[in-house]
Amino acid sequence: MQITHLPGRGLVAAVISSIGIRHEGAHALVATGLYLDLSRALRNPADDPAMRYRTDLNGNVYAHVLKTPGALTLINRTAVQLRALADEVPVGCLARLTMACQGGRHRSVAAA
């Protein structure tokens, strides 16, 4: 877990979740807030047999995903949207972002 304190009108917690949409019941985990499906937006490490069974906790997987052209721009724009949502959420409530990809182990984790 990472906690970042930003200037603002009070404490608002932001929760970023990672899901794999191929898994039964995954969409039931999506709560209110922002939803971003990265399945087509970022490189899929699972397409590389050497990375298929690794997770984003492996630095090579993380780097592979973030080398996708436009990846950092997409992530930064999403962060701006989450910050804007957090500015509108009542103090003491949660601002939520759900990042999704096919399996929930590579792209969504790297972006989160």
Side-chain angles (χ1 to χ4, degrees):
M1 176 192 298
Q2 178 178 333
I3 298 175
T4 303
H5 296 280
L6 300 172
R9 57 185 171 75
L11 183 62
V12 174
V15 176
I16 302 174
S17 303
S18 169
I19 65 168
I21 58 174
R22 264 193 346 226
H23 303 290
E24 186 176 334
H27 281 104
L29 300 173
V30 178
T32 59
L34 302 173
Y35 175 81
L36 182 62
D37 186 346
L38 300 166
S39 296
R40 297 180 195 269
L42 300 178
R43 287 184 183 147
N44 186 3
D47 291 341
D48 180 344
M51 292 190 197
R52 182 168 295 142
Y53 298 105
R54 296 180 183 174
T55 69
D56 183 62
L57 300 177
N58 177 286
N60 293 336
V61 173
Y62 180 78
H64 180 84
V65 171
L66 294 186
K67 284 182 185 174
T68 304
L72 293 177
T73 300
L74 175 65
I75 292 167
N76 288 333
R77 287 181 179 171
T78 303
V80 168
Q81 290 178 329
L82 182 58
R83 176 66 191 270
L85 177 62
D87 286 344
E88 298 301 321
V89 171
V91 172
C93 293
L94 297 176
R96 296 180 183 272
L97 167 61
T98 303
M99 306 288 246
C101 63
Q102 291 297 306
R105 297 183 312 155
H106 301 112
R107 293 168 285 187
S108 61
V109 179

